[in-house]
């Protein structure tokens, strides 16, 4: 039996977020420059997008370039921008063919104009697709996102459009870059580091976390499916007891009969 046959089709995570880590270390391990790792990482993006779409995941968010990455050597930053744009342009016809809609979140105003405009064109070309939503977190960090949300709410409050006493978690979520997406059910991080690296900190409050030592260029479709199987073996309690979760599931199933 293949791994895909082990997947419970009734418990597919709606949203999977991934920290794609290890490109540089993988390249060094193989005696190459960091750019070689990034190039091979693009191949992994294509493969994971394909399998995510195949099993019915609704949203796939990839940590593509963080705001902290702007501190890397200028030559590497320039290379990464070109790589992302070129790869997305190359893949756009297949995204359309496979009904995948492209979007992006982040402080894109910091991106070079050529990169932002070319990516926006690809986003526009896939806007009518109704399958998997592939979200690129570009020039993104969770603290930047939360600060921006606070600024927007403060402006609305000053303009009399928002009562500060009415601000709750739903109002905050409505001001985040991910307001049009559900929170991730599962967060995957490759390459062995056990940290969140300023990624979707608000949204992953109740996400299941999956860490693997596998470097991103070596992360296969089977590795992704293993993460899904592992996720499906967990009990998501959201602060409740196991008994409460079981009772809630029974009530839900009876309503669907």
């Amino acid at each position: 039996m293949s791994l895909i046959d082990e997947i419970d089709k009734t418990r597919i995570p709606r949203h999977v977020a991934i920290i794609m880590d290890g490109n540089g270390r993988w390249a060094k391990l193989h005696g190459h420059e960091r750019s070689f790792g990034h190039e091979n990482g693009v191949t992994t993006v294509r493969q994971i997008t394909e399998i995510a779409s195949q099993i019915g995941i609704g949203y796939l968010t990839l940590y593509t370039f963080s705001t902290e990455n702007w501190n890397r050597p200028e030559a590497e930053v320039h290379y990464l921008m070109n790589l992302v744009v070129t790869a997305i342009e190359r893949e756009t016809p297949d995204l359309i063919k496979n009904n995948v809609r492209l979007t992006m979140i982040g402080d894109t105003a910091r991106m070079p104009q050529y990169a932002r405009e070319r990516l926006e064109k690809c986003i526009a070309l896939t806007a009518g697709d109704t399958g998997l939503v592939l979200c690129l977190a570009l020039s993104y960090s969770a603290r930047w996102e939360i600060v921006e949300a606070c600024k927007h709410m403060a402006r609305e409050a000053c303009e009399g459009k928002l009562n500060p006493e009415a601000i709750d978690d739903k109002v905050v979520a409505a001001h985040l870059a991910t307001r049009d997406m559900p929170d991730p059910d599962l967060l995957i991080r490759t390459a062995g580091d056990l940290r969140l690296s300023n990624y979707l900190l608000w949204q992953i409050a109740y996400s299941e976390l999956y860490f693997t030592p596998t470097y991103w260029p070596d992360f296969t479709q089977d590795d992704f499916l293993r993460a899904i199987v592992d996720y499906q073996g967990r009990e998501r309690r959201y602060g409740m007891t196991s008994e409460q979760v079981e009772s809630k599931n029974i009530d839900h199933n009876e309503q669907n009969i």
Side-chain angles (χ1 to χ4, degrees):
M1 184 172 66
S2 66
L3 273 171
I4 202 165
D5 294 325
E6 296 182 32
I7 300 294
D8 181 351
K9 300 301 191 298
T10 68
R11 298 189 61 221
I12 299 294
R14 190 179 179 196
H15 184 178
V16 176
I18 303 180
I19 299 175
M20 307 179 294
D21 199 14
N23 288 338
R25 281 173 283 169
W26 181 88
K28 184 177 180 180
L29 183 67
H30 289 80
H32 294 279
E33 297 294 326
R34 292 175 59 86
S35 59
F36 183 73
H38 295 311
E39 290 167 4
N40 281 269
V42 169
T43 301
T44 302
V45 169
R46 181 190 311 119
Q47 294 172 344
I48 300 308
T49 301
E50 288 176 354
I51 193 65
S53 178
Q54 182 181 344
I55 67 173
I57 287 171
Y59 300 82
L60 179 65
T61 302
L62 305 179
Y63 207 2
T64 308
F65 190 91
S66 71
T67 54
E68 290 79 12
N69 287 154
W70 290 115
N71 297 320
R72 290 190 177 187
E74 184 177 351
E76 182 174 357
V77 169
H78 181 71
Y79 169 80
L80 286 171
M81 282 291 117
N82 276 291
L83 178 64
V84 169
V85 171
T86 302
I88 291 300
E89 287 179 331
R90 184 176 63 243
E91 297 298 325
T92 295
D94 279 341
L95 294 179
I96 297 171
K97 178 182 177 181
N98 294 312
N99 199 29
V100 175
R101 179 163 65 89
L102 180 69
T103 187
M104 63 180 173
I105 57 173
D107 187 8
T108 55
R110 294 185 63 179
M111 295 172 59
Q113 184 176 351
Y114 77 87
R116 184 174 63 254
E117 290 180 349
R118 288 164 63 183
L119 285 172
E120 287 173 348
K121 181 178 179 181
C122 295
I123 289 171
L125 289 171
T126 67
D129 295 341
T130 57
L132 172 72
V133 175
L134 174 61
C135 179
L136 304 181
L138 277 163
S139 187
Y140 172 88
S141 78
R143 289 183 176 181
W144 162 84
E145 179 185 29
I146 293 170
V147 167
E148 288 300 301
C150 290
K151 289 178 181 178
H152 292 161
M153 288 185 289
R155 282 195 290 268
E156 290 178 4
C158 288
E159 295 169 359
K161 298 177 181 178
L162 178 63
N163 180 358
E165 296 302 320
I167 296 174
D168 57 14
D169 57 344
K170 292 181 180 178
V171 172
V172 174
H175 286 78
L176 296 176
T178 56
R179 53 188 168 273
D180 295 324
M181 298 188 288
D183 290 340
D185 298 294
L186 172 65
L187 171 71
I188 299 171
R189 179 169 188 148
T190 61
D193 287 334
L194 307 179
R195 56 177 177 265
L196 300 174
S197 296
N198 205 1
Y199 186 46
L200 299 173
L201 297 182
W202 177 279
Q203 296 86 340
I204 63 170
Y206 279 100
S207 301
E208 296 297 322
L209 308 182
Y210 182 90
F211 298 98
T212 173
T214 304
Y215 292 137
W216 179 248
D218 285 334
F219 191 74
T220 66
Q221 291 185 342
D222 277 352
D223 290 322
F224 183 78
L225 292 174
R226 289 188 189 96
I228 302 302
V229 171
D230 182 88
Y231 161 84
Q232 292 184 337
R234 302 184 190 186
E235 181 182 68
R236 307 188 71 195
R237 294 189 294 275
Y238 298 98
M240 296 183 290
T241 66
S242 296
E243 291 75 16
Q244 286 176 305
V245 172
E246 183 177 355
S247 175
K248 184 178 180 181
N249 289 337
I250 290 174
D251 290 343
H252 178 74
N253 291 334
E254 288 178 348
Q255 291 173 7
N256 291 332
I257 293 177

